[in-house]
Amino acid sequence: EGNISASVEISSGEGADKVTETVTVDKTIDRLPGTSATPAEKAEAAKKAAEEALKDISVSNTTTQESLQSAIEKAVQDALEAAGIDGTDVDIAVNDFTKTPATAESEGNISASVEISSGEGADKVTETVTVDKTIDRLPGTPAEKVAAAKEAVEEAVKEAIVRWLDGRLVTNDNAEAIRDELEKEFNKDDNFLVDAILKGLDTAGVAYEKDIVFGDVVFDVKTATADSEGEITVAIPVISAEDG
């Protein structure tokens, strides 16, 4: 990688009234494509990517050693690719995985050690990242379960739709057609939206039918105007199964 450093001087006023502030510039220039990185550089870049990924990775009682490793591997490979680094010889292993499940009374925890290595023999370099993630306390009351399910399902469905769109731009011209496609997908016996909803419930620690049921799902379109953005909405009523 390269680097640009500088000092930016900002001033206002004259004479005794003149005020000056200084801003330091320290920016990294990404490695040029095709430039070979050393095992040490690869391991260090992978370690940083894993540490950043762990800040955003949410864990739940359903998180496994395999799912955690998969999430970290994807984040590392995406980061290395963005930096122009060949990650084919970067190995990641999640070891010493321990999970204390959350309950309605207390938070849970996941701890592990992530070993990241690159190179072979005397050139092999290994870095280690410690995992210590809290699992949110499970919702206990019907109201808490509804709130937790709503938040988790919203997030899971949004992510699923973004993946399904696969880069397609939604405009006023195609929004209704895309809405209709989504509705057709939802009405299939096996579809990604239902999978996303159930994944959201698992993340929230809420059981379908036992704790939560859903009302009729409504797909709608709001067109964009000069004053406001448009949107495709998927309204999923979340109802407690324990209210009577």
Side-chain angles (χ1 to χ4, degrees):
E1 295 176 338
N3 180 269
I4 291 176
S5 62
S7 177
V8 181
E9 187 175 281
I10 305 166
S11 61
S12 178
E14 297 180 358
D17 295 325
K18 185 174 182 179
V19 178
T20 302
E21 297 285 351
T22 302
V23 177
T24 299
V25 178
D26 186 8
K27 300 290 289 184
T28 298
I29 304 172
D30 287 341
R31 177 186 303 276
L32 297 178
T35 306
S36 179
T38 66
E41 289 173 331
K42 290 183 180 183
E44 178 62 24
K47 178 184 178 182
K48 289 180 179 178
E51 289 172 338
E52 286 301 311
L54 283 167
K55 294 178 184 178
D56 298 325
I57 290 174
S58 297
V59 295
S60 69
N61 284 355
T62 61
T63 299
T64 64
Q65 181 170 346
E66 292 74 21
S67 67
L68 180 62
Q69 177 158 330
S70 178
I72 294 173
E73 285 177 340
K74 183 180 186 308
V76 167
Q77 289 302 324
D78 287 349
L80 293 180
E81 183 178 346
I85 298 174
D86 180 9
T88 53
D89 67 339
V90 174
D91 296 316
I92 297 171
V94 174
N95 303 315
D96 303 322
F97 180 88
T98 302
K99 177 168 63 178
T100 302
T103 68
E105 290 73 37
S106 63
E107 296 176 333
N109 178 269
I110 286 178
S111 63
S113 176
V114 182
E115 186 176 281
I116 301 166
S117 61
S118 179
E120 296 181 357
D123 295 327
K124 185 174 182 179
V125 177
T126 301
E127 297 282 357
T128 302
V129 177
T130 299
V131 179
D132 185 10
K133 300 284 289 185
T134 297
I135 304 172
D136 289 340
R137 180 181 66 82
L138 298 184
T141 67
E144 287 177 337
K145 291 176 182 179
V146 168
K150 178 179 182 295
E151 181 179 356
V153 168
E154 280 181 351
E155 185 64 26
V157 168
K158 284 179 183 177
E159 290 178 358
I161 290 176
V162 168
R163 288 194 299 271
W164 175 76
L165 285 170
D166 194 24
R168 278 193 293 172
L169 182 65
V170 180
T171 67
N172 282 353
D173 293 331
N174 67 9
E176 290 191 1
I178 290 176
R179 185 270 318 275
D180 292 344
E181 284 184 57
L182 274 173
E183 191 164 3
K184 286 180 181 177
E185 282 289 334
F186 182 74
N187 289 326
K188 292 180 179 178
D189 291 337
D190 182 18
N191 69 82
F192 76 94
L193 282 172
V194 170
D195 289 344
I197 290 169
L198 295 178
K199 176 185 175 183
L201 292 182
D202 279 344
T203 299
V206 176
Y208 177 58
E209 293 185 332
K210 176 178 179 290
D211 300 318
I212 292 294
V213 294
F214 297 104
D216 293 334
V217 178
V218 177
F219 297 80
D220 199 7
V221 170
K222 175 186 174 185
T223 56
T225 68
D227 301 316
S228 62
E229 295 180 337
E231 60 183 3
I232 296 176
T233 60
V234 182
I236 307 173
V238 181
I239 305 165
S240 172
E242 304 175 73
D243 285 341

